[in-house]
Amino acid sequence: MKPSVLVIGAAKSGVAVAKLLNRHGYAVIITDMQEIKEKAELQERGIQVYEKGHPDILKREDYAFIVKNPGIKYTVPFVNYFVQHQVKIVTEVEIGYRYASHFHYGAITGTNGKTTITTMLYEMLQRKGNAIVAGNIGFPLSALAYDFEEEEKYVALELSNFQLLGIETFAPEVSVVCNLAPDHLDYMPSVEAYYESKMRIYENCQKEDWFLRNVDDPTVVAYAKNIPCTTIDFSLTRQDVDLYRKDGKVWLHDLMLFEESRFPIVGDYNLSNAMVAACMAYKLGVSLADIQATISSFQPVEHRLEYIGEKDGVKFYNDSKATNTHAVTAALSSFDKNILLLAGGHDKGISFLDLKQYDDRVKCCIAFGETREQFKPIFTHVETVETMQEALHTAIAKAQSGDIILLSPACSSYDQFPNYEVRGTLFKEMVRAYLEKA
């Protein structure tokens, strides 16, 4: 009799892992609160499909394990039933890892900068060949494992803490927790639990694997303990570490990785991202020439301090991916003054006090969405509106030559948008329509 597996959540990752497990001999059941558009295809493969709800008939304790979509909280009653009955729950990353035995992983987590590092690493790996990008960046690892299971691939893998909560054997050859700041307190029981979950990225690694530790971040240093693999300490400000900057160059020990002047993106946090990606690529066998060529040609990630254009001396930036204060501080530190900040959105339960230090740079904060009133104690000049669209119109009306209009919300988008990409795309469309007006 085939062992049974329950897949909870039929988004891209759920469908992918159901197909992968089905191919490997499991009796797969998949369930979702919404309609499952792949229902017919899954049923043709012999997968049982339950849509538009989780019926009680699925509450059994004899599953070999459960694969849960990382976005579904463990406290949801249907999931919590299995938590209480101690049924093993993993994520699709763990399953993809188990079956794609010829994949080599560079794994990236942290509060901010994950996508930039992942994208940069992927571009470096592409020059080497046999590269794929997966994880929290939008491509389920299980789908790629299904397609390339017997092939050797080099994987740039972005991981959220939700995904890391569900690993069991996953062990990357090189990994990083790029930084830590309070986030996802609407999901995690405490900020300490959030930080601890990030450190699972290296827990199964061996001595020959590398973990890159950001010694400029005291929270990373405090939580990155009992590291079983080789630790590569990195810093933007110190030179007594393994990965550092000196004389306008970035060094790994006595090996020069790249020259700072060849990196076209402004901001120290972006340079830190480049240092990490270059070091990870080197560990995964990318040549120095290919690392340096990628560094020279790299373009900013969409929705991350993305320059849109200028009109009448006013510049517009889309930083919709800044869904917490740590990301917004990075954006605000990139400009000296005259910032018209558009901020607000879904309340994730985090404090905005960290932004107060930039009050002298923020000409006015136009706050919108669920959290708009929470910005009044933070900045001297605040106006509140209902929507992001109103916030942009208000900012344009206020703007003078030399000003910066910056969408950097410090919040997730779920009060008004399905995700930060939709929010950022709408913002760009509105700005471009304004820029094109005579």
Side-chain angles (χ1 to χ4, degrees), residues 3 16 79 96 169 204 239 250-251 283 295 307 326 347 356 364 369 378 383 391 402 419 427:
V79 176
T169 63
N204 299 315
Q239 296 177 357
V250 170
W251 301 81
K283 169 62 172 170
I295 289 292
Y307 176 67
H326 193 268
D347 191 348
K356 203 173 182 68
C364 184
I378 306 301
E383 288 194 22
N419 53 53
F427 179 74

Side-chain angles (χ1 to χ4, degrees), residues 3 9 18 34 46 72 125 136 256 265 267 277 291 315 344 347 356 421 436:
Q34 307 299 321
I72 302 173
L125 292 172
N136 195 53
M256 196 274 284
I265 314 300
I291 289 171
K315 294 180 179 178
D347 191 348
K356 203 173 182 68
E421 292 101 328
E436 290 167 6

Side-chain angles (χ1 to χ4, degrees), residues 343-347 350 352 365-379 381-386 409 411 415-416:
H346 172 64
D347 191 348
I350 60 176
F352 300 127
C365 172
I366 300 102
F368 62 92
E370 227 173 68
T371 57
R372 58 189 178 275
E373 298 297 326
Q374 297 179 37
F375 290 91
K376 287 184 175 178
I378 306 301
F379 299 110
H381 304 288
V382 178
E383 288 194 22
T384 58
V385 296
E386 287 283 338
C411 302
D415 58 339
Q416 297 180 0

Side-chain angles (χ1 to χ4, degrees), residues 104-108 117-123 125 131-137 139 141 144 153-159 280 284:
H104 306 271
Y105 296 92
I108 299 99
I117 295 171
T118 304
T119 303
M120 205 178 303
L121 175 60
Y122 174 55
E123 291 186 10
L125 292 172
I132 53 179
V133 62
N136 195 53
I137 201 165
F139 304 96
L141 183 61
L144 297 166
K153 294 287 182 182
Y154 290 83
V155 188
L157 182 65
E158 178 182 327
L159 293 173
M280 297 181 82
L284 291 171

